[in-house]
Amino acid sequence: MPRLFAGFEIPPDLVERLALFRAGLPGARWIDPENYHLTLRFIGDVDGHVAHEIDTALAEIRPRAPVAVTFEGFDVFGGERPHALIVRAKLTRELADLQGEIERRLRKAGLAPEKRKFVPHVTLARLRGVEPLLAADYIARQGRFPDLRFEAGHISLFSARDITGGGPYLVEAAYPFAGMALAANR
């Protein structure tokens, strides 16, 4: 079974705008724009039975209004050894509540707790051998971050090939909020 994770798909108009930042940072391995997403919960490699439990758990997420996502600006993961260039999203109460519900339901389905702190973001590039000052300079040169936001009306269950990050990612199923109709591959 491929690696799984739950998250939000990024709307095509925002994908186009984010893709404009794909240059000017030596050592960056840029993520293909069609693989941009916001991860709500990494799941990992699972067998078919566990995948079914995950599908059931996500399908039971309680109805809610669409979740507003507002991107705040660039950042890096890794501190003194940057390994990812990201666009950070504002952690709102609605987003935190949804992520918390996903975490609780997946634990109830038998998954181990997520150890990493939830930081909502879209990864733009993987970094290897990039000095912190070079990454900081890239961020500073971008200037004022544009007003980028969207409303997520569903959670997607993504699969990924077993490679080092960056895709390709496939949407295996989608779980709409508040009874919104959405085609899913379930």
Side-chain angles (χ1 to χ4, degrees), residues 21-26 28 30 134 137-138 141-142:
F21 297 106
R22 293 171 38 98
L25 182 56
W30 298 100
L134 189 60
D137 180 63
Y138 171 86
R141 282 185 284 123
Q142 301 312 310

Side-chain angles (χ1 to χ4, degrees), residues 7-166:
F8 290 147
E9 297 172 62
I10 307 300
D13 60 321
L14 291 187
V15 167
E16 287 179 19
R17 293 189 63 194
L18 290 172
L20 295 175
F21 297 106
R22 293 171 38 98
L25 182 56
R29 184 172 56 84
W30 298 100
I31 304 298
D32 291 332
E34 61 269 17
N35 291 311
Y36 291 167
H37 64 277
L38 189 150
T39 300
L40 296 166
R41 173 57 153 85
F42 180 74
I43 297 165
D45 298 317
V46 297
D47 65 27
H49 173 74
V50 174
H52 176 74
E53 294 297 318
I54 291 165
D55 179 58
T56 300
L58 293 175
E60 292 174 350
I61 297 289
R62 61 187 159 78
R64 65 185 69 237
V67 175
V69 176
T70 301
F71 293 109
E72 298 182 306
F74 297 101
D75 204 347
V76 293
F77 285 150
E80 290 300 312
R81 295 176 52 110
H83 59 80
L85 173 68
I86 66 165
V87 173
R88 193 181 285 264
K90 183 176 183 179
L91 182 57
T92 62
R93 181 180 182 102
E94 293 78 16
L95 188 54
D97 287 349
L98 175 61
Q99 195 278 332
E101 183 176 357
I102 291 169
E103 179 66 26
R104 286 187 299 279
R105 290 189 180 277
L106 292 180
R107 283 186 194 184
K108 189 175 178 183
L111 271 64
E114 174 60 68
K115 296 176 184 168
R116 295 171 290 190
K117 178 182 175 188
F118 175 58
V119 178
H121 68 280
V122 172
T123 302
L124 296 182
R126 303 280 181 207
L127 308 178
R128 174 174 270 163
V130 174
E131 294 295 322
L133 288 176
L134 189 60
D137 180 63
Y138 171 86
I139 291 170
R141 282 185 284 123
Q142 301 312 310
R144 183 177 174 273
F145 192 78
D147 181 28
L148 300 177
R149 62 184 74 212
F150 71 99
E151 286 195 345
H154 67 279
I155 300 165
S156 295
L157 180 63
F158 295 89
S159 65
R161 287 191 309 167
D162 189 12
I163 57 173
T164 308

